Amino acid sequence: ALNPSRLDRQKVSLVAKIFNPYVSQALLSLGPIHKIPFFHDCSIFIQIITRWWQIVNVKSPLKGQRLNNIYEQPLTSFDSVGIKFMIYFLDWLGQWYGLDSNGLLTHETYNAITHTTIALLRVTSYCFTKLGATYVLLGKFQTDSLEARFGQYRQLGGGQYHISLRQIFECEKKLRLLSALRLKLHGKKFMLKDFAVDWTEFETLDVLSP
């Protein structure tokens, strides 16, 4: 997690091993004992990023109650603690980015996180004012389904990261066939599950053409 490869840098699981409450509390507890330099500032930095992640990753209305965490509760109004934190978060990012120091976020990272935060705030405002929503789950505004589909394209395309447009069409045909056939495992053999269709109906479909 501390020294990832170029491909591992895209793995959220490795990032979550560093930016989590346990690491922050461990720094506060063990920092003075082992005389870790800047342990307090590092702990605060991890807490800020962790809280932002907790707010934008809420997908269930009861998550905050289950985990006893106010930052993982759904946004119910403009006075919610999550919205207030995100506003302060934007101000903190702006002050940090304006410092004359080498320890800054890259221009691309700064733009990405600020645009994401601003977009989520505007979406929340739209849901409250225009749609009359009683609460908003920011974890629903994400691209997990799209990324999962792209991962299937990569695996069906030979496990390579850069796939062509033609490979995407071919992989999409395979995935649609798999969803239609719905194979069921019987012992060591795969059997068709509740699938009785005359194949002559599919002769004109492009999906079965060689």
Side-chain angles (χ1 to χ4, degrees), residues 186-201:
H186 288 280
K188 295 183 178 180
K189 298 181 179 180
F190 282 101
M191 303 296 292
L192 293 179
K193 179 183 178 182
D194 301 329
F195 194 80
V197 178
D198 185 4
W199 283 102
T200 57
E201 299 179 8

Side-chain angles (χ1 to χ4, degrees), residues 68-209:
N68 193 24
N69 189 342
I70 61 174
Y71 292 100
E72 296 187 277
Q73 294 180 355
L75 304 179
T76 56
S77 67
F78 294 108
D79 294 328
S80 300
V81 63
I83 291 182
K84 292 181 179 179
F85 178 86
M86 293 176 71
I87 294 175
Y88 286 125
F89 180 76
L90 287 173
D91 182 62
W92 173 73
L93 284 175
Q95 294 184 30
W96 181 21
Y97 191 72
L99 295 177
D100 185 13
S101 172
N102 293 328
L104 299 176
L105 296 174
T106 63
H107 182 71
E108 293 77 13
T109 302
Y110 171 77
N111 283 337
I113 193 170
T114 52
H115 289 176
T116 300
T117 306
I118 293 173
L120 290 175
L121 288 173
R122 290 183 177 178
V123 166
T124 302
S125 176
Y126 179 82
C127 291
F128 285 148
T129 57
K130 300 297 183 179
L131 303 181
T134 56
Y135 63 86
V136 177
L137 304 175
L138 295 182
K140 296 295 185 178
F141 299 98
Q142 54 174 273
T143 58
D144 282 358
S145 300
L146 182 62
E147 292 175 2
R149 194 69 167 186
F150 182 73
Q152 292 178 313
Y153 292 158
R154 288 178 55 194
Q155 294 301 319
L156 293 175
Q160 56 181 338
Y161 189 82
H162 300 286
I163 57 177
S164 64
L165 182 61
R166 180 176 180 179
Q167 287 176 310
I168 291 179
F169 284 125
E170 293 175 352
C171 293
E172 188 63 32
K173 291 179 181 180
K174 295 177 184 178
L175 291 173
R176 291 185 181 184
L177 272 177
L178 289 175
S179 63
L181 293 176
R182 295 183 181 180
L183 297 179
K184 183 178 181 181
L185 182 63
H186 288 280
K188 295 183 178 180
K189 298 181 179 180
F190 282 101
M191 303 296 292
L192 293 179
K193 179 183 178 182
D194 301 329
F195 194 80
V197 178
D198 185 4
W199 283 102
T200 57
E201 299 179 8
F202 294 92
E203 291 181 353
T204 57
L205 292 183
D206 179 62
V207 72
L208 294 180
S209 61

